[in-house]
Amino acid sequence: ILGGLPPPEHVPYLRLTAREYEAVHAGLQHQIQIQAQQIQHGHTPTTPLVMSAPKTIDIKRVRERMIAASAPNRHAYVSTIGRAAKDGRLKENCRPSLLQSKIKLKRHCMSSLCSFQPDSGFQSLYDLKFGETDGMLLPNGGGGSGVVGGGGSGTRGTMHGNAGGVSSSDPEIWQFSLALDQVDVVGTTGLRLTRRPRMHIARLALFDRKANRFLGNIAALAPKVLGRRAHRWSFDSNEKLIVRCSSIQPATTRGGGGGGAVRRVSLDDVSILVELNVSYALTTDDASRASLPSTEKKCHGIVDEICTCWALLSLRRCVEMPREVAVAVPLYCGPLFAPAPLEEVRRLRRAKSPVKALFTPLGRPSLRFLTGPISSSLPRPPVVPLFYMPPTQILPVELACAFGAHRMAAALALSKSASGPFASVCDPVLPAFKKIVDDADFFDAWTDKWRAALKQLGVASETGVLFPRPPGPPPAMSVLVEAFRRCTLEVAPLLHCETVPPPHIDNFDDYATRRRVQVQAFCKHLTSAAAIAAAAQSTTPTKGGLFGAIPGFGNGMSPITATPGGGTPNADLLPDRHPVEPLSLAGFQFLYDAFDASEVRYCVCDDYP
């Protein structure tokens, strides 16, 4: 390659591929070393003297940097809100929320559970195994034990799913139930005298310490009761989360962009990161000081949550529990790889000011949670089997069943394609659901319809927990898939309604209220002032249950209802509205943009370069 290059005076800029550049750069570096050795020993170099390697420009990298430079600073708001504190800055234990920052970058959000991992040859999917003839989703491990096999008895020749060099029986799936109980002596922000918090939220994610990467989706829980000055957060211990983690993960954060490569993770390297965040309502002064962008889309990517402290839960310890037990772990602050115990930070703070130490709450900062096998933690198995759920997830029972139904619908659609799983499939449900789960208001509307459909099937209790009601058997999986498709199609028109404003920064409460009322007017009959007030109340941030003050369960978009179980307050009292009705009204109450092929086109390979 070096001999075939033209002289630099004739072609000052040369276009090379990545492999050609590596070969040229390595050859020039080797030639420079040989010439340096010859000059050191007093010999004349036999080749033309090369002073340094040529300068190179990576066009793709330059484009990424230019786009990143044009985007607003995602931590601008958190950096400026500290000026409202008495000391002019936030406490030393505070920092911008890391998990919300990942969500704003469109990473590890709920839609990540709708993507599937291909094998090294991009010929099949190793985490979505299904029969080629009937489209039946095959188990990816199941049962109630802590460690289950990845393929097991479902392995046969007519299935997709073996990763290159990895058999379907090799991957293990670690699973257990998790419920937050109580957090004592939570860190403070220093804004108690000047601001009133609009939301307290705990975010959870699986973290691989060895690879410095997060796995699966980011979940969220809101405390049910807050203690005095919010130093103690009490959660509902009956709200169980189903945690699953596969031993085989994508080699990159995009799911194997380098050819579908996979890697193995160790049980000792994976932990659950729990962030305790606080959010304050947006004010005019904060918006001007932070120089918020003028467009809603750019403002939507700004972080507004402040992480006061965090904790790490050992995955091995949770998996090996023989029964459900209560475990307490200490709280930390600072970066993940340079943690500082919150108890030590509070001790140093009290030593600096003995007077303030008298009013500082006593106790040890700790997080108490309940964990154990799923079979012993839940009174009855969920209506959707565990081995139909995503292999890596942190979800409540209700949403875990919903994503299990999505996987069954995807397997059925992909099995009908004669060109394999990477051919384009014409299905309006699969692409719509992936976009709905990333929008807080749309996902809340979908959750209301999903819960109502399950109640009609007789599988949901009054609290929204999906257990089959005795003595009747659970419904067939085909019935749940049809209910899933019907709920998605009823909410899908909202994705293309021109009159629904785009989402703004999360803590802009007035804007979020107007958007929520617009969405509820599409889904419900808001014919009275009481119904409109109920829809507006759904954006009032208060203390709530599983979805209380949590937009879309972990998407971090806007404040939502505090009703235990989630959804819209008094949603059952408001009659449903068929999507055709608002779309066909005179006066163009809901404008619908021109038809786009992305509404019905679904292709797995779109998620990978």
Side-chain angles (χ1 to χ4, degrees):
I1 297 178
L2 286 174
L5 293 178
E9 58 271 11
H10 296 145
V11 184
Y13 297 98
L14 190 62
R15 183 176 179 178
L16 300 175
T17 63
R19 293 186 179 274
E20 290 176 346
Y21 164 71
E22 292 179 358
V24 170
H25 187 74
L28 290 177
Q29 292 292 344
H30 181 66
Q31 188 173 346
I32 291 174
Q33 294 178 0
I34 294 177
Q35 291 178 356
Q37 294 177 359
Q38 292 176 351
I39 295 175
Q40 183 178 4
H41 292 85
H43 302 290
T44 303
T46 57
T47 57
L49 189 62
V50 179
M51 300 304 298
S52 61
K55 295 182 179 180
T56 58
I57 300 177
D58 191 341
I59 301 299
K60 292 184 178 180
R61 183 59 178 170
V62 170
R63 176 180 176 273
E64 294 176 357
R65 290 182 178 179
M66 182 182 66
I67 295 176
S70 62
N73 183 10
R74 300 185 184 276
H75 298 160
Y77 172 77
V78 179
S79 302
T80 57
I81 194 177
R83 301 179 185 178
K86 183 178 179 180
D87 299 334
R89 61 184 180 87
L90 296 174
K91 297 291 186 180
E92 57 272 15
N93 59 285
C94 297
R95 65 188 181 100
S97 174
L98 175 62
L99 297 184
Q100 193 191 25
S101 301
K102 294 293 184 181
I103 294 175
K104 295 301 182 180
L105 293 173
K106 302 298 181 182
R107 299 175 183 174
H108 306 285
C109 48
M110 299 293 284
S111 61
S112 63
L113 300 178
C114 301
S115 302
F116 310 109
Q117 173 64 22
D119 62 1
S120 58
F122 281 92
Q123 299 298 320
S124 60
L125 305 173
Y126 83 86
D127 59 346
L128 186 71
K129 302 182 288 293
F130 55 89
E132 291 183 343
T133 57
D134 55 358
M136 186 65 181
L137 185 64
L138 300 177
N140 60 9
S145 59
V147 183
V148 295
S153 60
T155 305
R156 54 192 176 106
T158 58
M159 72 168 66
H160 297 289
N162 291 343
V166 181
S167 64
S168 60
S169 59
D170 287 336
E172 294 180 348
I173 296 181
W174 307 300
Q175 58 186 17
F176 54 91
S177 69
L178 178 67
L180 300 184
D181 186 17
Q182 184 173 291
V183 186
D184 293 323
V185 194
V186 182
T188 58
T189 60
L191 299 173
R192 183 178 62 85
L193 300 178
T194 57
R195 297 296 175 86
R196 183 178 180 181
R198 58 178 286 274
M199 182 175 65
H200 296 80
I201 185 173
R203 296 193 179 272
L204 304 88
L206 292 167
F207 180 63
D208 185 1
R209 301 188 304 274
K210 184 176 182 180
N212 191 21
R213 291 175 182 171
F214 289 96
L215 310 177
N217 67 299
I218 296 176
L221 285 174
K224 189 175 182 179
V225 179
L226 294 176
R228 182 174 176 269
R229 296 185 180 181
H231 287 299
R232 172 176 294 178
W233 296 10
S234 298
F235 298 85
D236 188 358
S237 58
N238 294 324
E239 298 168 354
K240 307 294 183 181
L241 300 177
I242 296 181
V243 182
R244 307 189 80 209
C245 181
S246 176
S247 60
I248 292 184
Q249 297 292 336
T252 62
T253 56
R254 289 181 60 89
V262 297
R263 62 185 177 90
R264 289 188 176 273
V265 297
S266 174
L267 185 59
D268 297 324
D269 296 333
V270 182
S271 302
I272 300 178
L273 174 63
V274 182
E275 275 190 351
L276 304 178
N277 302 338
V278 181
S279 176
Y280 297 88
L282 181 66
T283 61
T284 306
D285 296 337
D286 294 338
S288 59
R289 283 197 298 260
S291 300
L292 296 182
S294 57
T295 61
E296 294 86 353
K297 183 178 180 181
K298 291 185 177 181
C299 285
H300 181 57
I302 295 180
V303 176
D304 69 292
E305 295 180 7
I306 303 173
C307 176
T308 59
C309 53
W310 51 270
L312 280 178
L313 316 182
S314 173
L315 194 69
R316 173 176 288 278
R317 189 176 183 182
C318 295
V319 169
E320 294 179 349
M321 290 295 177
R323 55 183 177 84
E324 187 178 33
V325 296
V327 182
V329 294
L331 297 178
Y332 296 89
C333 59
L336 284 178
F337 291 97
L342 184 59
E343 185 178 11
E344 183 67 18
V345 174
R346 295 178 68 254
R347 186 187 65 81
L348 296 177
R349 190 183 302 168
R350 291 195 302 266
K352 293 180 181 179
S353 178
V355 177
K356 291 184 178 180
L358 298 177
F359 303 95
T360 303
L362 301 177
R364 183 178 181 181
S366 61
L367 166 66
R368 187 168 71 246
F369 63 96
L370 302 177
T371 182
I374 299 178
S375 57
S376 61
S377 301
L378 301 180
R380 286 180 296 275
V383 63
V384 175
L386 295 174
F387 48 75
Y388 285 169
M389 299 178 183
T392 302
Q393 66 167 29
I394 300 181
L395 291 174
V397 181
E398 187 176 35
L399 290 186
C401 295
F403 279 93
H406 169 267
R407 290 171 58 85
M408 288 187 284
L412 184 62
L414 293 176
S415 65
K416 297 179 181 179
S417 174
S419 302
F422 289 93
S424 297
V425 177
C426 183
D427 191 321
V429 174
L430 298 178
F433 182 74
K434 189 173 182 179
K435 297 178 182 178
I436 288 174
V437 296
D438 278 343
D439 190 287
D441 299 329
F442 298 166
F443 194 38
D444 291 338
W446 185 92
T447 305
D448 290 337
K449 294 182 178 296
W450 173 248
R451 185 179 296 109
L454 293 173
K455 286 184 179 180
Q456 292 180 357
L457 296 176
V459 298
S461 63
E462 297 300 329
T463 59
V465 182
L466 304 185
F467 303 130
R469 286 182 176 179
M477 294 296 104
S478 59
V479 177
L480 290 175
V481 173
E482 288 302 321
F484 167 81
R485 295 181 63 88
R486 184 174 63 254
C487 295
T488 305
L489 290 176
E490 291 179 357
V491 183
L494 284 171
L495 297 171
H496 304 276
C497 283
E498 293 289 342
T499 52
V500 176
H504 209 284
I505 186 172
D506 297 353
N507 58 347
F508 194 176
D509 293 340
D510 295 338
Y511 186 93
T513 300
R514 293 193 299 269
R515 189 173 190 266
R516 176 58 60 85
V517 172
Q518 187 79 355
V519 172
Q520 290 300 322
F522 182 88
C523 300
K524 303 288 182 180
H525 284 281
L526 304 181
T527 57
S528 62
I532 297 177
Q537 183 186 357
S538 64
T539 60
T540 303
T542 54
K543 307 166 196 174
L546 182 60
F547 300 98
I550 303 175
F553 187 76
N555 289 304
M557 305 295 182
S558 59
I560 72 166
T561 176
T563 303
T568 306
N570 303 322
D572 296 334
L573 303 179
L574 302 177
D576 287 333
R577 197 180 192 186
H578 196 277
V580 176
E581 179 184 349
L583 290 176
S584 60
L585 285 178
F588 302 100
Q589 179 182 2
F590 288 91
L591 297 179
Y592 192 81
D593 60 4
F595 177 78
D596 188 358
S598 63
E599 298 182 40
V600 296
R601 181 180 180 273
Y602 179 80
C603 186
V604 179
C605 62
D606 287 344
D607 297 328
Y608 306 95

